[in-house]
Amino acid sequence: MAHSLRNLMDTNRLVRVLEAHTPLCGLIAQAAEFKSPTVTRKFDAVWSSSLSDSAIRGKPDIEVVDHSSRLLSLHELMDVCSLPVIYDCDTGGNHLQLRSTVRSLERAGVSATIVEDKGGLKQNSLKGNMPGQLQLPIEDFCAKLQSAKTWQRNSEFMVIARIESLVLGNGMQDALTRARAYLRAGADGVMIHSHHQDPDEVLEFSKEFRRSGERAPLVAVPTTYNAVNEETLFQAGVNVIIYANHLLRSSHKAMKQAASSILQYGRAAECEELCTPVGDILRCFDT
């Protein structure tokens, strides 16, 4: 799995990744396909999101769900889904905690993890520059990356550095400086994050990153800037796009509407249009 994901990221094409927070989500991601006379699109990997893993447990996204608990769920996902898995590691904790998590992810068969360069109280980045969110000094995060990379056993496993400079208001130059430093420290790629609704700063970062001749994988997560199309991101230099929470959010909306409909009408007939037929669910597991 790790080998196949690294090979995908090294090719000159876009890698699409979809969030999957349950084994059923993994089956959906694996089976999803769009075909036209000129193009076929499928997902290449799945994303194990800390937001989703916290939300399905009714917990806030502040690293309160430990990695051991999340790994148990990952085993169930990987039992039924053969796509490579990229794991959202949040900050990864301290050096020793990150080392342990990397070893556990390798043993589980996970292909890559993304570690963010925040320190202090972890808050979801889509909230923007919230009080208590700090960015680690460059040298401290580089040491953390080096520690993780020297501890891993499988050379195909990828540790990708997530840069929070744009979210925390530290500027474009800081983001670019960090990207280069993190790659020199051993990161296998970088993820640039933004909470703005337009993609301009992500596109600017990507172009500047590639203009220097850098060929490492570059990851973007177009959650808030969702009007930008994949080709625009790809042409700017992004080669991995993660749709990071869309199965969680779409299921949450449908479940709320179904629950309200049953209470409103005193029966289930009106919510059937929100529901997949039972037969289609059963056919997901036909062997």
Side-chain angles (χ1 to χ4, degrees):
M1 284 292 188
H3 179 71
S4 65
L5 181 64
R6 186 179 280 275
N7 284 347
L8 277 174
M9 289 190 178
D10 286 341
T11 60
N12 186 31
R13 75 169 187 84
L14 181 69
V15 177
R16 291 183 190 85
V17 186
L18 182 65
E19 170 257 328
H21 55 276
T22 65
L24 179 58
C25 291
L27 290 173
I28 290 170
Q30 185 168 270
E33 184 177 40
F34 170 79
K35 278 189 175 183
S36 76
T38 58
V39 68
T40 297
R41 296 192 188 111
K42 300 189 72 171
F43 292 105
D44 302 294
V46 294
W47 170 244
S48 173
S49 159
S50 65
L51 167 61
S52 295
D53 283 352
S54 299
I56 62 173
R57 293 169 172 83
K59 304 290 186 182
D61 183 24
I62 55 172
E63 293 187 284
V64 71
V65 179
D66 66 88
H67 294 293
S68 297
S69 176
R70 292 181 62 199
L71 277 167
L72 291 175
S73 299
L74 265 185
H75 285 297
E76 295 179 340
L77 168 67
M78 297 175 74
D79 275 345
V80 300
C81 177
S82 61
L83 293 177
V85 175
I86 304 175
Y87 181 84
D88 179 4
C89 202
D90 286 328
T91 68
N94 62 34
H95 291 212
L96 296 179
Q97 290 168 321
L98 182 57
R99 281 181 175 185
S100 176
T101 299
V102 164
R103 279 282 176 90
S104 296
L105 293 172
E106 285 187 295
R107 285 194 296 270
V110 172
S111 297
T113 188
I114 296 183
V115 187
E116 63 187 75
D117 59 1
K118 280 183 184 172
L121 175 64
K122 195 265 183 187
Q123 294 284 338
N124 189 283
S125 296
L126 298 182
K127 292 182 176 180
N129 191 5
M130 297 286 289
Q133 293 190 104
L134 306 172
Q135 199 170 17
L136 289 177
I138 292 176
E139 58 273 18
D140 289 357
F141 193 67
C142 284
K144 195 172 180 177
L145 291 171
Q146 289 169 338
S147 177
K149 289 301 293 179
T150 55
W151 197 253
Q152 73 180 61
R153 290 174 172 168
N154 178 3
S155 62
E156 299 297 331
F157 183 82
M158 302 178 74
V159 177
I160 296 170
R162 171 172 155 177
I163 300 168
E164 293 288 295
S165 302
L166 303 182
V167 172
L168 298 177
N170 291 332
M172 185 65 61
Q173 192 54 53
D174 182 76
L176 290 163
T177 299
R178 285 175 179 271
R180 294 169 188 132
Y182 296 167
L183 292 171
R184 288 195 300 269
D188 298 290
V190 296
M191 170 184 155
I192 186 63
H193 206 30
S194 172
H195 67 286
H196 291 303
Q197 293 185 346
D198 66 69
D200 292 352
E201 63 181 9
V202 170
L203 296 174
E204 179 185 350
F205 173 92
S206 303
K207 291 173 183 176
E208 289 297 323
F209 180 75
R210 294 301 183 201
R211 194 169 287 134
S212 66
E214 184 53 64
R215 298 177 58 85
L218 176 57
V219 184
V221 184
T223 301
T224 53
Y225 53 99
N226 55 22
V228 65
N229 60 50
E230 293 176 342
E231 185 61 23
T232 299
L233 288 168
F234 183 66
Q235 289 302 320
V238 172
N239 64 316
V240 183
I241 295 178
I242 299 178
Y243 296 96
N245 44 52
H246 294 79
L247 294 190
L248 171 74
R249 289 162 53 211
S250 57
S251 61
H252 179 261
K253 180 177 181 178
M255 288 190 291
K256 284 180 65 179
Q257 290 176 338
S260 296
S261 177
I262 291 170
L263 291 176
Q264 179 179 352
Y265 295 103
R267 63 180 190 177
E270 285 75 14
C271 75
E272 280 297 323
E273 63 181 20
L274 300 169
C275 301
T276 300
V278 173
D280 288 357
I281 296 291
L282 297 176
R283 279 189 287 275
C284 286
F285 318 112
D286 287 344
T287 56

